[in-house]
Amino acid sequence: MMKTLRQTLIATLLVVALTCGCSVIHSRAASPSLNAFVLGTWTGESICVGNRPACKNEVVVYRFEEIAGKPAAVTMLADKIIQGKREPMGKLECQYDESKGTVTCEFTIRQTHGLWQYQISGDTMEGTLVLLPNKEVGRRVKVKRVDDKELPAAPDRKDYDGD
């Protein structure tokens, strides 16, 4: 009788442990990943701000991808569309703040030090390029999430700086 009671107790504990484990696993799978709201392809306009004669308004495409081992970071692959073709502009590592719904990417390229700041609202993202150290706004961007298949073919990954 004691043996049966012990086996029943062990079986019950095992079922409880497995049930708890499964619900924890299920809740992790059901909740969105840290980057779920930013990952994917976005397209729209990047408009010049201020007196910058070399600056040209552009139709842009941003692809945001996960970075393994960095849950709060994403890679941004940036393209512009020229004569119906996507031309790579570069690749940046960006920080995603889920609580604020923001993406920020600081960079220095040649003599330009800047900060891209984006605010996500559903399937739209708006942002600015802030030129540092003077904190002047150089561009305003408004993009929407799209299926990559709706756009011209993406450039090869090797075409981005740093690959």
Short mmCIF file of all heavy atoms in Angstrom, two decimals, residues 7-30:
data_model
loop_
_atom_site.label_atom_id
_atom_site.label_comp_id
_atom_site.label_asym_id
_atom_site.label_seq_id
_atom_site.Cartn_x
_atom_site.Cartn_y
_atom_site.Cartn_z
N GLN A 7 4.14 5.66 -5.48
CA GLN A 7 4.11 5.70 -6.95
C GLN A 7 3.07 6.70 -7.44
O GLN A 7 3.31 7.46 -8.38
CB GLN A 7 3.82 4.31 -7.51
CG GLN A 7 4.97 3.35 -7.37
CD GLN A 7 4.62 1.94 -7.80
OE1 GLN A 7 3.45 1.56 -7.85
NE2 GLN A 7 5.65 1.15 -8.11
N THR A 8 1.93 6.73 -6.76
CA THR A 8 0.88 7.68 -7.13
C THR A 8 1.36 9.11 -6.91
O THR A 8 1.15 10.00 -7.73
CB THR A 8 -0.41 7.41 -6.33
OG1 THR A 8 -0.82 6.07 -6.55
CG2 THR A 8 -1.53 8.36 -6.72
N LEU A 9 2.02 9.33 -5.77
CA LEU A 9 2.54 10.66 -5.45
C LEU A 9 3.60 11.09 -6.47
O LEU A 9 3.58 12.22 -6.98
CB LEU A 9 3.13 10.67 -4.04
CG LEU A 9 3.65 12.01 -3.53
CD1 LEU A 9 2.57 13.07 -3.57
CD2 LEU A 9 4.19 11.86 -2.12
N ILE A 10 4.51 10.19 -6.81
CA ILE A 10 5.55 10.50 -7.80
C ILE A 10 4.92 10.78 -9.16
O ILE A 10 5.28 11.76 -9.84
CB ILE A 10 6.59 9.35 -7.89
CG1 ILE A 10 7.42 9.32 -6.60
CG2 ILE A 10 7.49 9.51 -9.12
CD1 ILE A 10 8.32 8.11 -6.47
N ALA A 11 3.95 9.97 -9.55
CA ALA A 11 3.27 10.18 -10.83
C ALA A 11 2.55 11.52 -10.84
O ALA A 11 2.60 12.27 -11.83
CB ALA A 11 2.29 9.04 -11.11
N THR A 12 1.91 11.89 -9.74
CA THR A 12 1.19 13.16 -9.65
C THR A 12 2.18 14.32 -9.75
O THR A 12 1.95 15.30 -10.48
CB THR A 12 0.40 13.24 -8.32
OG1 THR A 12 -0.50 12.15 -8.27
CG2 THR A 12 -0.36 14.56 -8.22
N LEU A 13 3.30 14.22 -9.01
CA LEU A 13 4.32 15.28 -9.08
C LEU A 13 4.89 15.42 -10.48
O LEU A 13 5.13 16.52 -10.96
CB LEU A 13 5.42 15.02 -8.06
CG LEU A 13 5.04 15.22 -6.60
CD1 LEU A 13 6.18 14.78 -5.69
CD2 LEU A 13 4.68 16.67 -6.33
N LEU A 14 5.09 14.28 -11.14
CA LEU A 14 5.61 14.31 -12.50
C LEU A 14 4.63 15.00 -13.44
O LEU A 14 5.02 15.84 -14.25
CB LEU A 14 5.91 12.88 -12.98
CG LEU A 14 6.53 12.74 -14.35
CD1 LEU A 14 7.86 13.49 -14.43
CD2 LEU A 14 6.75 11.28 -14.70
N VAL A 15 3.36 14.68 -13.31
CA VAL A 15 2.33 15.33 -14.16
C VAL A 15 2.29 16.83 -13.88
O VAL A 15 2.25 17.64 -14.80
CB VAL A 15 0.95 14.67 -13.93
CG1 VAL A 15 -0.16 15.50 -14.55
CG2 VAL A 15 0.94 13.26 -14.47
N VAL A 16 2.34 17.21 -12.60
CA VAL A 16 2.32 18.63 -12.24
C VAL A 16 3.56 19.33 -12.80
O VAL A 16 3.47 20.40 -13.39
CB VAL A 16 2.23 18.82 -10.70
CG1 VAL A 16 2.50 20.26 -10.31
CG2 VAL A 16 0.87 18.37 -10.20
N ALA A 17 4.72 18.69 -12.64
CA ALA A 17 5.96 19.29 -13.16
C ALA A 17 5.91 19.45 -14.67
O ALA A 17 6.28 20.49 -15.21
CB ALA A 17 7.16 18.44 -12.75
N LEU A 18 5.44 18.43 -15.36
CA LEU A 18 5.35 18.52 -16.82
C LEU A 18 4.34 19.56 -17.25
O LEU A 18 4.56 20.31 -18.19
CB LEU A 18 5.00 17.15 -17.42
CG LEU A 18 6.12 16.12 -17.39
CD1 LEU A 18 5.61 14.76 -17.87
CD2 LEU A 18 7.29 16.56 -18.23
N THR A 19 3.22 19.63 -16.55
CA THR A 19 2.20 20.62 -16.89
C THR A 19 2.74 22.02 -16.69
O THR A 19 2.58 22.89 -17.54
CB THR A 19 0.94 20.40 -16.03
OG1 THR A 19 0.48 19.08 -16.22
CG2 THR A 19 -0.15 21.39 -16.39
N CYS A 20 3.40 22.26 -15.57
CA CYS A 20 3.98 23.59 -15.32
C CYS A 20 5.03 23.91 -16.37
O CYS A 20 5.07 25.01 -16.89
CB CYS A 20 4.60 23.65 -13.94
SG CYS A 20 3.38 23.62 -12.62
N GLY A 21 5.89 22.95 -16.66
CA GLY A 21 6.92 23.17 -17.67
C GLY A 21 6.34 23.48 -19.02
O GLY A 21 6.77 24.39 -19.71
N CYS A 22 5.28 22.76 -19.41
CA CYS A 22 4.66 22.99 -20.71
C CYS A 22 4.01 24.36 -20.77
O CYS A 22 4.11 25.05 -21.77
CB CYS A 22 3.61 21.92 -21.01
SG CYS A 22 4.35 20.33 -21.37
N SER A 23 3.37 24.79 -19.69
CA SER A 23 2.73 26.10 -19.73
C SER A 23 3.77 27.21 -19.80
O SER A 23 3.55 28.22 -20.44
CB SER A 23 1.79 26.29 -18.54
OG SER A 23 2.53 26.35 -17.35
N VAL A 24 4.92 27.03 -19.15
CA VAL A 24 5.98 28.02 -19.24
C VAL A 24 6.51 28.08 -20.66
O VAL A 24 6.67 29.14 -21.24
CB VAL A 24 7.12 27.70 -18.24
CG1 VAL A 24 8.33 28.57 -18.51
CG2 VAL A 24 6.63 27.90 -16.82
N ILE A 25 6.76 26.92 -21.25
CA ILE A 25 7.22 26.88 -22.63
C ILE A 25 6.19 27.48 -23.56
O ILE A 25 6.50 28.30 -24.41
CB ILE A 25 7.55 25.42 -23.05
CG1 ILE A 25 8.78 24.94 -22.30
CG2 ILE A 25 7.75 25.32 -24.55
CD1 ILE A 25 9.03 23.44 -22.41
N HIS A 26 4.92 27.16 -23.34
CA HIS A 26 3.85 27.70 -24.19
C HIS A 26 3.77 29.22 -24.06
O HIS A 26 3.65 29.92 -25.03
CB HIS A 26 2.51 27.05 -23.82
CG HIS A 26 1.36 27.64 -24.57
ND1 HIS A 26 1.17 27.40 -25.92
CD2 HIS A 26 0.39 28.50 -24.20
CE1 HIS A 26 0.11 28.07 -26.33
NE2 HIS A 26 -0.38 28.74 -25.31
N SER A 27 3.87 29.74 -22.83
CA SER A 27 3.74 31.18 -22.67
C SER A 27 4.91 31.90 -23.32
O SER A 27 4.74 32.98 -23.86
CB SER A 27 3.63 31.55 -21.19
OG SER A 27 4.84 31.31 -20.53
N ARG A 28 6.11 31.32 -23.31
CA ARG A 28 7.24 31.94 -24.00
C ARG A 28 7.00 31.95 -25.50
O ARG A 28 7.28 32.91 -26.17
CB ARG A 28 8.53 31.19 -23.69
CG ARG A 28 9.10 31.50 -22.34
CD ARG A 28 10.46 30.85 -22.18
NE ARG A 28 10.82 30.89 -20.77
CZ ARG A 28 11.51 29.97 -20.17
NH1 ARG A 28 11.92 28.90 -20.83
NH2 ARG A 28 11.80 30.07 -18.90
N ALA A 29 6.49 30.85 -26.03
CA ALA A 29 6.26 30.76 -27.47
C ALA A 29 5.13 31.69 -27.90
O ALA A 29 5.16 32.23 -28.99
CB ALA A 29 5.95 29.32 -27.86
N ALA A 30 4.14 31.87 -27.03
CA ALA A 30 2.98 32.68 -27.41
C ALA A 30 3.28 34.17 -27.32
O ALA A 30 2.66 34.96 -28.00
CB ALA A 30 1.79 32.34 -26.51
#
